[in-house]
Amino acid sequence: MHGPVSIAWLLVALCALTGAYCLLRMRSGVEEQRRAAGGEALMGFGMAAMAVPAAVFTPPRWAWPVYAAVFGTAALRALWAARGAPHHLHHLVGSAAMVYMAVAMAASPPAAHHGHGGTGVPLLTGALLLYFTGYVLLSGARLVPAPASAGGGGPAHRGDRPELARACRLSMGIGMVAMLLAM
């Protein structure tokens, strides 16, 4: 990742912690929530690995096509899941953005991995930035607490709490904006 090392490490921490929390969400009793949490865990850990500062670790050239293949597979899975549940389209866009970043890193010369910017297609990067910025703003607005309803049900499992899942997605959206800005 390009940019200041301290920001890169903060991004690594944010994405890794989000991925770890998504693994915890996979204990949900609801099948659909487990699947979504698994995809989000993959995204969180993948983003964390991509955000490691190049000064600390530069992945070998073969790693970028592997990233592209893994997230290409995730994108196909999200596309398949979106047939019945349109909210999976966001997972499709996120996976496609990861493929795009991996391809851009694979196509850039090794010296560019240590510099600032200059990788990727500016128009596509801009479109992805616009999408994820809008997603972050919308997700943040959805986290505003609603008035409490009378007589709530029993205690919910941590993985079944929608506000925590939204916070998880919000933090990954923020991470994606930061990664796209660094391109």
Side-chain angles (χ1 to χ4, degrees):
M1 175 165 160
H2 309 300
V5 172
S6 59
I7 292 174
W9 282 120
L10 287 172
L11 186 57
V12 169
L14 173 73
C15 294
L17 288 172
T18 301
Y21 179 71
C22 289
L23 285 178
L24 290 176
R25 286 184 34 232
M26 288 181 68
R27 298 184 305 176
S28 171
V30 180
E31 176 71 23
E32 178 61 27
Q33 290 179 8
R34 282 195 308 269
R35 279 194 195 130
E40 291 164 2
L42 173 69
M43 182 70 69
F45 290 128
M47 289 172 61
M50 266 188 171
V52 172
V56 174
F57 175 72
T58 302
R61 297 290 292 169
W62 57 263
W64 299 117
V66 170
Y67 273 97
V70 167
F71 286 101
T73 302
L76 290 174
R77 184 178 171 273
L79 181 62
W80 183 260
R83 294 175 308 118
H87 68 272
H88 286 286
L89 291 174
H90 172 69
H91 294 151
L92 173 64
V93 173
S95 295
M98 292 293 283
V99 170
Y100 166 66
M101 288 188 285
V103 168
M105 292 304 289
S108 69
H113 294 204
H114 297 284
H116 294 283
T119 59
V121 179
L123 187 60
L124 184 53
T125 303
L128 288 169
L129 267 171
L130 188 63
Y131 172 81
F132 282 105
T133 300
Y135 181 81
V136 164
L137 293 173
L138 184 60
S139 295
R142 287 182 179 161
L143 282 176
V144 174
S149 60
H157 186 275
R158 235 184 304 230
D160 296 333
R161 295 185 54 192
E163 71 277 7
L164 294 177
R166 284 187 201 120
C168 180
R169 291 181 192 117
L170 173 65
S171 65
M172 282 195 291
I174 291 168
M176 190 66 77
V177 168
M179 290 176 75
L180 287 165
L181 283 173
M183 287 187 72

